[in-house]
Amino acid sequence: IADLAGLEVMDMDTQPIGKGVAVENFGAGDIIDVQPRSGKRFMLAFTALNVPEVNVAEGWISIDPPEELEAKG
C-alpha cells in the first residue's frame, strides 16, 4: 500500500487527475489521499468500485469517483 504514494491518479478515461499522496487507514478500511492538479486534496475509500485498477509498475492508479466528488471538482 505504501507503494501507491506518488503514483499518477487518472480517471476512467485515462485523463490525469493528480497524484496519490498516501493511503491511510483510520480503522474502517483503506483510504487513498489524492492531490489533484488543481483544487483541494480529497480522500476516497480504497475499494474495487472506487479504485478499479492499480498498476505500480507503470506508475498509475485509476479511480472512478462518486458523483458527489465530481460535482465539487
Short mmCIF file of all heavy atoms in Angstrom, two decimals:
data_model
loop_
_atom_site.label_atom_id
_atom_site.label_comp_id
_atom_site.label_asym_id
_atom_site.label_seq_id
_atom_site.Cartn_x
_atom_site.Cartn_y
_atom_site.Cartn_z
N ILE A 1 0.83 -1.19 0.00
CA ILE A 1 0.00 0.00 0.00
C ILE A 1 0.87 1.25 0.00
O ILE A 1 0.54 2.21 -0.66
CB ILE A 1 -0.96 -0.01 1.21
CG1 ILE A 1 -1.94 -1.17 1.12
CG2 ILE A 1 -1.66 1.29 1.39
CD1 ILE A 1 -3.18 -0.94 0.34
N ALA A 2 1.97 1.24 0.72
CA ALA A 2 2.84 2.42 0.76
C ALA A 2 3.41 2.73 -0.63
O ALA A 2 3.74 3.89 -0.91
CB ALA A 2 3.97 2.19 1.74
N ASP A 3 3.48 1.74 -1.51
CA ASP A 3 3.99 1.94 -2.87
C ASP A 3 3.08 2.84 -3.70
O ASP A 3 3.48 3.31 -4.76
CB ASP A 3 4.13 0.61 -3.60
CG ASP A 3 5.19 -0.27 -3.00
OD1 ASP A 3 6.05 0.24 -2.26
OD2 ASP A 3 5.17 -1.48 -3.27
N LEU A 4 1.85 3.09 -3.25
CA LEU A 4 0.90 3.87 -4.04
C LEU A 4 1.12 5.38 -3.92
O LEU A 4 0.70 6.13 -4.79
CB LEU A 4 -0.53 3.53 -3.63
CG LEU A 4 -0.89 2.04 -3.74
CD1 LEU A 4 -2.34 1.82 -3.34
CD2 LEU A 4 -0.62 1.50 -5.12
N ALA A 5 1.79 5.81 -2.87
CA ALA A 5 2.08 7.24 -2.70
C ALA A 5 2.98 7.69 -3.84
O ALA A 5 3.98 7.05 -4.16
CB ALA A 5 2.74 7.50 -1.36
N GLY A 6 2.60 8.79 -4.47
CA GLY A 6 3.38 9.34 -5.56
C GLY A 6 2.96 8.88 -6.94
O GLY A 6 3.42 9.43 -7.94
N LEU A 7 2.07 7.89 -7.02
CA LEU A 7 1.62 7.43 -8.33
C LEU A 7 0.65 8.42 -8.96
O LEU A 7 -0.08 9.14 -8.28
CB LEU A 7 0.93 6.06 -8.22
CG LEU A 7 1.78 4.89 -7.75
CD1 LEU A 7 0.97 3.60 -7.82
CD2 LEU A 7 3.06 4.75 -8.55
N GLU A 8 0.65 8.46 -10.28
CA GLU A 8 -0.30 9.29 -11.03
C GLU A 8 -1.70 8.72 -10.82
O GLU A 8 -1.90 7.51 -10.86
CB GLU A 8 0.04 9.24 -12.53
CG GLU A 8 -0.77 10.15 -13.38
CD GLU A 8 -0.37 11.61 -13.27
OE1 GLU A 8 0.81 11.90 -12.97
OE2 GLU A 8 -1.23 12.45 -13.49
N VAL A 9 -2.67 9.60 -10.59
CA VAL A 9 -4.06 9.19 -10.45
C VAL A 9 -4.81 9.65 -11.69
O VAL A 9 -4.73 10.82 -12.08
CB VAL A 9 -4.70 9.81 -9.18
CG1 VAL A 9 -6.17 9.46 -9.08
CG2 VAL A 9 -3.96 9.33 -7.93
N MET A 10 -5.50 8.70 -12.34
CA MET A 10 -6.23 9.00 -13.57
C MET A 10 -7.70 8.64 -13.40
O MET A 10 -8.04 7.78 -12.59
CB MET A 10 -5.64 8.21 -14.73
CG MET A 10 -4.21 8.57 -15.03
SD MET A 10 -3.59 7.78 -16.51
CE MET A 10 -3.27 6.14 -15.91
N ASP A 11 -8.54 9.29 -14.22
CA ASP A 11 -9.95 8.92 -14.21
C ASP A 11 -10.16 7.71 -15.12
O ASP A 11 -9.20 7.18 -15.70
CB ASP A 11 -10.83 10.11 -14.57
CG ASP A 11 -10.67 10.58 -16.00
OD1 ASP A 11 -10.09 9.85 -16.85
OD2 ASP A 11 -11.14 11.70 -16.30
N MET A 12 -11.39 7.30 -15.27
CA MET A 12 -11.69 6.11 -16.05
C MET A 12 -11.41 6.29 -17.55
O MET A 12 -11.33 5.33 -18.29
CB MET A 12 -13.15 5.69 -15.83
CG MET A 12 -13.45 5.32 -14.38
SD MET A 12 -12.37 4.01 -13.75
CE MET A 12 -12.93 2.65 -14.74
N ASP A 13 -11.26 7.54 -17.99
CA ASP A 13 -10.93 7.83 -19.39
C ASP A 13 -9.43 8.05 -19.57
O ASP A 13 -9.01 8.61 -20.58
CB ASP A 13 -11.69 9.08 -19.87
CG ASP A 13 -13.19 8.85 -19.88
OD1 ASP A 13 -13.62 7.74 -20.21
OD2 ASP A 13 -13.92 9.79 -19.52
N THR A 14 -8.65 7.65 -18.57
CA THR A 14 -7.19 7.79 -18.52
C THR A 14 -6.72 9.25 -18.58
O THR A 14 -5.60 9.52 -18.99
CB THR A 14 -6.46 6.94 -19.59
OG1 THR A 14 -6.75 7.44 -20.89
CG2 THR A 14 -6.82 5.47 -19.47
N GLN A 15 -7.58 10.17 -18.14
CA GLN A 15 -7.18 11.57 -18.04
C GLN A 15 -6.54 11.79 -16.67
O GLN A 15 -7.10 11.39 -15.65
CB GLN A 15 -8.40 12.49 -18.21
CG GLN A 15 -9.04 12.40 -19.58
CD GLN A 15 -8.04 12.75 -20.68
OE1 GLN A 15 -7.39 13.77 -20.63
NE2 GLN A 15 -7.93 11.87 -21.66
N PRO A 16 -5.38 12.43 -16.63
CA PRO A 16 -4.71 12.67 -15.35
C PRO A 16 -5.55 13.55 -14.42
O PRO A 16 -6.13 14.54 -14.85
CB PRO A 16 -3.43 13.39 -15.73
CG PRO A 16 -3.27 13.20 -17.20
CD PRO A 16 -4.63 12.95 -17.76
N ILE A 17 -5.62 13.15 -13.16
CA ILE A 17 -6.33 13.91 -12.14
C ILE A 17 -5.34 14.55 -11.19
O ILE A 17 -5.48 15.70 -10.80
CB ILE A 17 -7.30 13.00 -11.35
CG1 ILE A 17 -8.42 12.53 -12.26
CG2 ILE A 17 -7.83 13.72 -10.12
CD1 ILE A 17 -9.35 11.53 -11.61
N GLY A 18 -4.32 13.80 -10.81
CA GLY A 18 -3.34 14.31 -9.85
C GLY A 18 -2.42 13.20 -9.40
O GLY A 18 -2.13 12.27 -10.15
N LYS A 19 -2.00 13.26 -8.14
CA LYS A 19 -1.07 12.28 -7.58
C LYS A 19 -1.64 11.68 -6.30
O LYS A 19 -2.33 12.37 -5.54
CB LYS A 19 0.26 12.94 -7.21
CG LYS A 19 1.03 13.46 -8.38
CD LYS A 19 1.91 12.42 -8.96
CE LYS A 19 2.79 13.03 -10.06
NZ LYS A 19 3.35 12.03 -10.91
N GLY A 20 -1.33 10.43 -6.08
CA GLY A 20 -1.65 9.80 -4.81
C GLY A 20 -0.68 10.31 -3.76
O GLY A 20 0.54 10.27 -3.98
N VAL A 21 -1.18 10.81 -2.65
CA VAL A 21 -0.33 11.35 -1.60
C VAL A 21 0.01 10.27 -0.58
O VAL A 21 1.15 10.12 -0.18
CB VAL A 21 -1.00 12.56 -0.91
CG1 VAL A 21 -0.17 13.06 0.25
CG2 VAL A 21 -1.27 13.65 -1.91
N ALA A 22 -1.02 9.53 -0.18
CA ALA A 22 -0.83 8.50 0.85
C ALA A 22 -2.04 7.58 0.85
O ALA A 22 -3.08 7.90 0.27
CB ALA A 22 -0.68 9.14 2.22
N VAL A 23 -1.88 6.45 1.49
CA VAL A 23 -3.00 5.56 1.78
C VAL A 23 -3.09 5.47 3.29
O VAL A 23 -2.11 5.10 3.95
CB VAL A 23 -2.84 4.17 1.14
CG1 VAL A 23 -3.99 3.27 1.51
CG2 VAL A 23 -2.73 4.29 -0.37
N GLU A 24 -4.22 5.87 3.83
CA GLU A 24 -4.44 5.91 5.27
C GLU A 24 -5.42 4.81 5.66
O GLU A 24 -6.20 4.34 4.84
CB GLU A 24 -5.02 7.27 5.69
CG GLU A 24 -4.22 8.47 5.23
CD GLU A 24 -2.93 8.67 5.99
OE1 GLU A 24 -2.69 7.98 7.01
OE2 GLU A 24 -2.15 9.53 5.59
N ASN A 25 -5.38 4.44 6.93
CA ASN A 25 -6.38 3.53 7.48
C ASN A 25 -6.65 3.98 8.90
O ASN A 25 -5.79 3.87 9.77
CB ASN A 25 -5.90 2.08 7.46
CG ASN A 25 -7.00 1.12 7.86
OD1 ASN A 25 -7.74 1.36 8.80
ND2 ASN A 25 -7.10 0.02 7.14
N PHE A 26 -7.84 4.51 9.10
CA PHE A 26 -8.24 5.02 10.40
C PHE A 26 -9.11 4.02 11.14
O PHE A 26 -9.82 4.37 12.07
CB PHE A 26 -8.97 6.36 10.24
CG PHE A 26 -8.11 7.40 9.57
CD1 PHE A 26 -8.38 7.82 8.28
CD2 PHE A 26 -7.01 7.96 10.22
CE1 PHE A 26 -7.60 8.78 7.65
CE2 PHE A 26 -6.22 8.92 9.60
CZ PHE A 26 -6.52 9.32 8.31
N GLY A 27 -9.09 2.76 10.70
CA GLY A 27 -9.82 1.70 11.37
C GLY A 27 -11.02 1.18 10.62
O GLY A 27 -11.59 0.16 10.99
N ALA A 28 -11.43 1.85 9.57
CA ALA A 28 -12.61 1.41 8.82
C ALA A 28 -12.28 1.04 7.39
O ALA A 28 -13.14 1.03 6.52
CB ALA A 28 -13.67 2.50 8.84
N GLY A 29 -11.01 0.76 7.12
CA GLY A 29 -10.59 0.39 5.77
C GLY A 29 -9.63 1.42 5.19
O GLY A 29 -9.46 2.52 5.73
N ASP A 30 -9.00 1.05 4.11
CA ASP A 30 -8.01 1.92 3.48
C ASP A 30 -8.68 3.07 2.73
O ASP A 30 -9.74 2.91 2.12
CB ASP A 30 -7.14 1.13 2.51
CG ASP A 30 -6.24 0.13 3.22
OD1 ASP A 30 -5.82 0.43 4.36
OD2 ASP A 30 -5.98 -0.94 2.66
N ILE A 31 -8.03 4.23 2.78
CA ILE A 31 -8.48 5.44 2.10
C ILE A 31 -7.29 6.02 1.36
O ILE A 31 -6.21 6.18 1.93
CB ILE A 31 -9.00 6.48 3.12
CG1 ILE A 31 -10.19 5.91 3.88
CG2 ILE A 31 -9.37 7.78 2.44
CD1 ILE A 31 -10.63 6.76 5.05
N ILE A 32 -7.49 6.35 0.09
CA ILE A 32 -6.41 6.98 -0.67
C ILE A 32 -6.60 8.49 -0.63
O ILE A 32 -7.69 9.01 -0.79
CB ILE A 32 -6.34 6.45 -2.12
CG1 ILE A 32 -5.11 7.02 -2.81
CG2 ILE A 32 -7.62 6.74 -2.89
CD1 ILE A 32 -4.72 6.33 -4.09
N ASP A 33 -5.51 9.19 -0.36
CA ASP A 33 -5.47 10.64 -0.29
C ASP A 33 -4.92 11.12 -1.63
O ASP A 33 -3.81 10.74 -2.02
CB ASP A 33 -4.56 11.04 0.87
CG ASP A 33 -4.57 12.53 1.18
OD1 ASP A 33 -5.23 13.29 0.46
OD2 ASP A 33 -3.89 12.91 2.14
N VAL A 34 -5.68 11.95 -2.33
CA VAL A 34 -5.31 12.39 -3.68
C VAL A 34 -5.13 13.90 -3.71
O VAL A 34 -5.98 14.64 -3.22
CB VAL A 34 -6.40 11.98 -4.70
CG1 VAL A 34 -6.05 12.48 -6.10
CG2 VAL A 34 -6.60 10.47 -4.71
N GLN A 35 -4.03 14.35 -4.29
CA GLN A 35 -3.80 15.77 -4.54
C GLN A 35 -4.07 16.02 -6.02
O GLN A 35 -3.27 15.62 -6.87
CB GLN A 35 -2.36 16.17 -4.20
CG GLN A 35 -2.04 17.61 -4.56
CD GLN A 35 -2.87 18.61 -3.78
OE1 GLN A 35 -2.82 18.64 -2.57
NE2 GLN A 35 -3.65 19.42 -4.48
N PRO A 36 -5.21 16.64 -6.34
CA PRO A 36 -5.49 16.91 -7.75
C PRO A 36 -4.55 17.97 -8.32
O PRO A 36 -3.90 18.70 -7.57
CB PRO A 36 -6.94 17.40 -7.76
CG PRO A 36 -7.22 17.82 -6.37
CD PRO A 36 -6.27 17.09 -5.47
N ARG A 37 -4.50 18.05 -9.62
CA ARG A 37 -3.64 19.05 -10.27
C ARG A 37 -4.04 20.46 -9.88
O ARG A 37 -3.22 21.36 -9.86
CB ARG A 37 -3.70 18.88 -11.79
CG ARG A 37 -3.02 17.61 -12.23
CD ARG A 37 -3.13 17.40 -13.72
NE ARG A 37 -2.38 16.22 -14.07
CZ ARG A 37 -1.40 16.19 -14.95
NH1 ARG A 37 -1.08 17.28 -15.60
NH2 ARG A 37 -0.77 15.08 -15.19
N SER A 38 -5.33 20.65 -9.60
CA SER A 38 -5.80 21.93 -9.07
C SER A 38 -6.90 21.63 -8.07
O SER A 38 -7.60 20.63 -8.17
CB SER A 38 -6.32 22.83 -10.19
OG SER A 38 -7.43 22.24 -10.82
N GLY A 39 -7.03 22.48 -7.09
CA GLY A 39 -8.06 22.28 -6.08
C GLY A 39 -7.53 21.59 -4.84
O GLY A 39 -6.33 21.32 -4.71
N LYS A 40 -8.46 21.32 -3.94
CA LYS A 40 -8.11 20.75 -2.65
C LYS A 40 -7.93 19.23 -2.72
O LYS A 40 -8.57 18.56 -3.51
CB LYS A 40 -9.21 21.06 -1.64
CG LYS A 40 -9.36 22.52 -1.33
CD LYS A 40 -10.43 22.74 -0.30
CE LYS A 40 -10.59 24.22 -0.01
NZ LYS A 40 -11.59 24.45 1.02
N ARG A 41 -7.07 18.74 -1.84
CA ARG A 41 -6.89 17.30 -1.70
C ARG A 41 -8.21 16.67 -1.29
O ARG A 41 -9.04 17.30 -0.65
CB ARG A 41 -5.84 17.00 -0.64
CG ARG A 41 -4.45 17.23 -1.15
CD ARG A 41 -3.38 17.18 -0.11
NE ARG A 41 -3.38 16.04 0.78
CZ ARG A 41 -2.40 15.78 1.64
NH1 ARG A 41 -1.36 16.57 1.70
NH2 ARG A 41 -2.46 14.74 2.43
N PHE A 42 -8.38 15.40 -1.67
CA PHE A 42 -9.57 14.67 -1.27
C PHE A 42 -9.20 13.24 -0.94
O PHE A 42 -8.15 12.74 -1.36
CB PHE A 42 -10.67 14.73 -2.34
CG PHE A 42 -10.30 14.09 -3.65
CD1 PHE A 42 -10.55 12.75 -3.88
CD2 PHE A 42 -9.73 14.85 -4.66
CE1 PHE A 42 -10.22 12.16 -5.10
CE2 PHE A 42 -9.40 14.27 -5.88
CZ PHE A 42 -9.65 12.93 -6.11
N MET A 43 -10.05 12.60 -0.18
CA MET A 43 -9.85 11.21 0.20
C MET A 43 -10.96 10.37 -0.41
O MET A 43 -12.11 10.83 -0.52
CB MET A 43 -9.83 11.05 1.71
CG MET A 43 -8.64 11.69 2.35
SD MET A 43 -8.59 11.36 4.11
CE MET A 43 -6.86 11.51 4.42
N LEU A 44 -10.61 9.15 -0.79
CA LEU A 44 -11.54 8.25 -1.44
C LEU A 44 -11.34 6.86 -0.86
O LEU A 44 -10.19 6.40 -0.73
CB LEU A 44 -11.24 8.24 -2.94
CG LEU A 44 -12.18 7.54 -3.88
CD1 LEU A 44 -13.57 8.17 -3.87
CD2 LEU A 44 -11.62 7.58 -5.29
N ALA A 45 -12.43 6.21 -0.49
CA ALA A 45 -12.33 4.85 0.04
C ALA A 45 -11.63 3.96 -0.99
O ALA A 45 -11.98 3.98 -2.17
CB ALA A 45 -13.71 4.30 0.37
N PHE A 46 -10.65 3.22 -0.54
CA PHE A 46 -9.87 2.36 -1.43
C PHE A 46 -10.62 1.03 -1.59
O PHE A 46 -10.33 0.04 -0.91
CB PHE A 46 -8.48 2.14 -0.86
CG PHE A 46 -7.50 1.62 -1.87
CD1 PHE A 46 -6.75 2.51 -2.61
CD2 PHE A 46 -7.35 0.26 -2.08
CE1 PHE A 46 -5.84 2.04 -3.55
CE2 PHE A 46 -6.45 -0.21 -3.01
CZ PHE A 46 -5.69 0.68 -3.75
N THR A 47 -11.61 1.05 -2.48
CA THR A 47 -12.41 -0.15 -2.76
C THR A 47 -12.30 -0.48 -4.24
O THR A 47 -11.89 0.37 -5.05
CB THR A 47 -13.90 0.10 -2.42
OG1 THR A 47 -14.41 1.12 -3.29
CG2 THR A 47 -14.09 0.52 -0.97
N ALA A 48 -12.70 -1.68 -4.61
CA ALA A 48 -12.67 -2.08 -6.02
C ALA A 48 -13.59 -1.20 -6.87
O ALA A 48 -13.32 -0.98 -8.05
CB ALA A 48 -13.06 -3.55 -6.16
N LEU A 49 -14.65 -0.69 -6.27
CA LEU A 49 -15.57 0.18 -7.00
C LEU A 49 -14.93 1.55 -7.28
O LEU A 49 -15.02 2.07 -8.39
CB LEU A 49 -16.85 0.35 -6.20
CG LEU A 49 -17.96 1.16 -6.86
CD1 LEU A 49 -18.45 0.47 -8.14
CD2 LEU A 49 -19.12 1.32 -5.89
N ASN A 50 -14.28 2.14 -6.29
CA ASN A 50 -13.67 3.46 -6.43
C ASN A 50 -12.31 3.44 -7.10
O ASN A 50 -11.92 4.40 -7.76
CB ASN A 50 -13.51 4.14 -5.07
CG ASN A 50 -14.83 4.52 -4.45
OD1 ASN A 50 -15.81 4.76 -5.12
ND2 ASN A 50 -14.85 4.58 -3.13
N VAL A 51 -11.57 2.36 -6.89
CA VAL A 51 -10.21 2.25 -7.42
C VAL A 51 -10.12 0.92 -8.18
O VAL A 51 -9.60 -0.07 -7.68
CB VAL A 51 -9.16 2.30 -6.28
CG1 VAL A 51 -7.75 2.34 -6.86
CG2 VAL A 51 -9.39 3.50 -5.38
N PRO A 52 -10.66 0.90 -9.40
CA PRO A 52 -10.75 -0.37 -10.13
C PRO A 52 -9.42 -0.94 -10.63
O PRO A 52 -9.32 -2.13 -10.88
CB PRO A 52 -11.69 -0.07 -11.28
CG PRO A 52 -11.65 1.40 -11.46
CD PRO A 52 -11.32 1.97 -10.12
N GLU A 53 -8.41 -0.08 -10.79
CA GLU A 53 -7.15 -0.61 -11.33
C GLU A 53 -5.95 0.13 -10.75
O GLU A 53 -5.96 1.35 -10.63
CB GLU A 53 -7.15 -0.49 -12.86
CG GLU A 53 -6.06 -1.27 -13.51
CD GLU A 53 -6.23 -1.37 -15.02
OE1 GLU A 53 -7.19 -0.83 -15.58
OE2 GLU A 53 -5.36 -2.01 -15.63
N VAL A 54 -4.94 -0.64 -10.40
CA VAL A 54 -3.68 -0.10 -9.89
C VAL A 54 -2.56 -0.77 -10.68
O VAL A 54 -2.53 -1.99 -10.82
CB VAL A 54 -3.50 -0.41 -8.39
CG1 VAL A 54 -2.14 0.04 -7.90
CG2 VAL A 54 -4.61 0.24 -7.57
N ASN A 55 -1.65 0.04 -11.21
CA ASN A 55 -0.51 -0.50 -11.93
C ASN A 55 0.76 0.16 -11.39
O ASN A 55 1.18 1.21 -11.88
CB ASN A 55 -0.66 -0.27 -13.43
CG ASN A 55 0.36 -1.04 -14.23
OD1 ASN A 55 1.51 -1.15 -13.83
ND2 ASN A 55 -0.06 -1.58 -15.36
N VAL A 56 1.31 -0.44 -10.36
CA VAL A 56 2.50 0.12 -9.71
C VAL A 56 3.68 0.14 -10.68
O VAL A 56 4.43 1.11 -10.74
CB VAL A 56 2.85 -0.66 -8.43
CG1 VAL A 56 4.14 -0.14 -7.82
CG2 VAL A 56 1.70 -0.55 -7.43
N ALA A 57 3.83 -0.90 -11.48
CA ALA A 57 4.95 -0.99 -12.41
C ALA A 57 4.96 0.17 -13.40
O ALA A 57 6.02 0.69 -13.75
CB ALA A 57 4.92 -2.33 -13.15
N GLU A 58 3.77 0.59 -13.85
CA GLU A 58 3.68 1.69 -14.80
C GLU A 58 3.45 3.03 -14.12
O GLU A 58 3.44 4.07 -14.77
CB GLU A 58 2.58 1.41 -15.84
CG GLU A 58 2.94 0.26 -16.75
CD GLU A 58 1.92 0.05 -17.85
OE1 GLU A 58 1.11 0.96 -18.14
OE2 GLU A 58 1.92 -1.04 -18.43
N GLY A 59 3.22 3.02 -12.81
CA GLY A 59 3.14 4.25 -12.03
C GLY A 59 1.80 4.96 -12.03
O GLY A 59 1.77 6.19 -11.95
N TRP A 60 0.69 4.22 -12.11
CA TRP A 60 -0.61 4.89 -12.11
C TRP A 60 -1.69 4.09 -11.37
O TRP A 60 -1.57 2.91 -11.16
CB TRP A 60 -1.09 5.21 -13.51
CG TRP A 60 -1.15 4.04 -14.44
CD1 TRP A 60 -0.18 3.63 -15.30
CD2 TRP A 60 -2.24 3.12 -14.61
NE1 TRP A 60 -0.58 2.51 -15.99
CE2 TRP A 60 -1.85 2.18 -15.59
CE3 TRP A 60 -3.49 2.99 -14.03
CZ2 TRP A 60 -2.68 1.14 -15.99
CZ3 TRP A 60 -4.31 1.95 -14.43
CH2 TRP A 60 -3.90 1.04 -15.41
N ILE A 61 -2.73 4.85 -11.00
CA ILE A 61 -3.92 4.32 -10.33
C ILE A 61 -5.11 4.90 -11.09
O ILE A 61 -5.12 6.10 -11.39
CB ILE A 61 -4.01 4.83 -8.88
CG1 ILE A 61 -2.78 4.44 -8.08
CG2 ILE A 61 -5.29 4.35 -8.20
CD1 ILE A 61 -2.66 5.20 -6.76
N SER A 62 -6.11 4.10 -11.40
CA SER A 62 -7.33 4.67 -11.98
C SER A 62 -8.40 4.73 -10.90
O SER A 62 -8.50 3.82 -10.07
CB SER A 62 -7.82 3.85 -13.18
OG SER A 62 -8.25 2.57 -12.78
N ILE A 63 -9.14 5.84 -10.89
CA ILE A 63 -10.23 5.97 -9.92
C ILE A 63 -11.53 6.28 -10.65
O ILE A 63 -11.53 6.84 -11.75
CB ILE A 63 -9.95 7.05 -8.85
CG1 ILE A 63 -9.88 8.44 -9.45
CG2 ILE A 63 -8.69 6.73 -8.06
CD1 ILE A 63 -9.86 9.55 -8.40
N ASP A 64 -12.61 5.88 -10.03
CA ASP A 64 -13.95 6.16 -10.53
C ASP A 64 -14.68 6.87 -9.40
O ASP A 64 -15.40 6.24 -8.62
CB ASP A 64 -14.66 4.86 -10.91
CG ASP A 64 -15.96 5.10 -11.64
OD1 ASP A 64 -16.24 6.26 -12.01
OD2 ASP A 64 -16.71 4.12 -11.83
N PRO A 65 -14.45 8.19 -9.26
CA PRO A 65 -15.01 8.91 -8.11
C PRO A 65 -16.53 8.96 -8.15
O PRO A 65 -17.12 9.01 -9.23
CB PRO A 65 -14.41 10.30 -8.23
CG PRO A 65 -13.96 10.44 -9.63
CD PRO A 65 -13.71 9.07 -10.16
N PRO A 66 -17.15 8.98 -6.98
CA PRO A 66 -18.61 9.10 -6.93
C PRO A 66 -19.05 10.47 -7.48
O PRO A 66 -18.27 11.42 -7.49
CB PRO A 66 -18.94 8.96 -5.46
CG PRO A 66 -17.67 9.14 -4.73
CD PRO A 66 -16.56 8.88 -5.67
N GLU A 67 -20.30 10.54 -7.91
CA GLU A 67 -20.82 11.78 -8.49
C GLU A 67 -20.67 12.97 -7.56
O GLU A 67 -20.39 14.07 -8.02
CB GLU A 67 -22.30 11.61 -8.86
CG GLU A 67 -22.52 10.71 -10.03
CD GLU A 67 -23.99 10.57 -10.38
OE1 GLU A 67 -24.77 11.51 -10.11
OE2 GLU A 67 -24.36 9.52 -10.92
N GLU A 68 -20.82 12.77 -6.26
CA GLU A 68 -20.71 13.86 -5.30
C GLU A 68 -19.34 14.52 -5.38
O GLU A 68 -19.20 15.73 -5.29
CB GLU A 68 -20.95 13.38 -3.86
CG GLU A 68 -22.31 12.81 -3.62
CD GLU A 68 -22.44 11.34 -4.03
OE1 GLU A 68 -21.41 10.65 -4.17
OE2 GLU A 68 -23.57 10.90 -4.22
N LEU A 69 -18.31 13.71 -5.56
CA LEU A 69 -16.95 14.23 -5.64
C LEU A 69 -16.74 14.94 -6.96
O LEU A 69 -16.14 16.01 -7.02
CB LEU A 69 -15.94 13.09 -5.47
CG LEU A 69 -14.49 13.50 -5.38
CD1 LEU A 69 -14.26 14.44 -4.21
CD2 LEU A 69 -13.63 12.27 -5.24
N GLU A 70 -17.25 14.38 -8.04
CA GLU A 70 -17.10 15.01 -9.36
C GLU A 70 -17.80 16.35 -9.41
O GLU A 70 -17.31 17.28 -10.04
CB GLU A 70 -17.65 14.08 -10.44
CG GLU A 70 -16.83 12.82 -10.62
CD GLU A 70 -17.36 11.94 -11.72
OE1 GLU A 70 -17.22 12.34 -12.89
OE2 GLU A 70 -17.93 10.90 -11.40
N ALA A 71 -18.93 16.51 -8.74
CA ALA A 71 -19.67 17.76 -8.76
C ALA A 71 -18.88 18.87 -8.08
O ALA A 71 -18.99 20.03 -8.46
CB ALA A 71 -21.02 17.58 -8.06
N LYS A 72 -18.04 18.53 -7.10
CA LYS A 72 -17.22 19.53 -6.41
C LYS A 72 -16.05 19.99 -7.26
O LYS A 72 -15.51 21.04 -7.05
CB LYS A 72 -16.71 18.97 -5.08
CG LYS A 72 -17.79 18.78 -4.06
CD LYS A 72 -17.19 18.25 -2.78
CE LYS A 72 -18.26 18.05 -1.73
NZ LYS A 72 -17.70 17.52 -0.49
N GLY A 73 -15.58 19.08 -8.18
CA GLY A 73 -14.40 19.35 -8.97
C GLY A 73 -14.49 20.63 -9.71
O GLY A 73 -13.65 21.37 -9.93
#
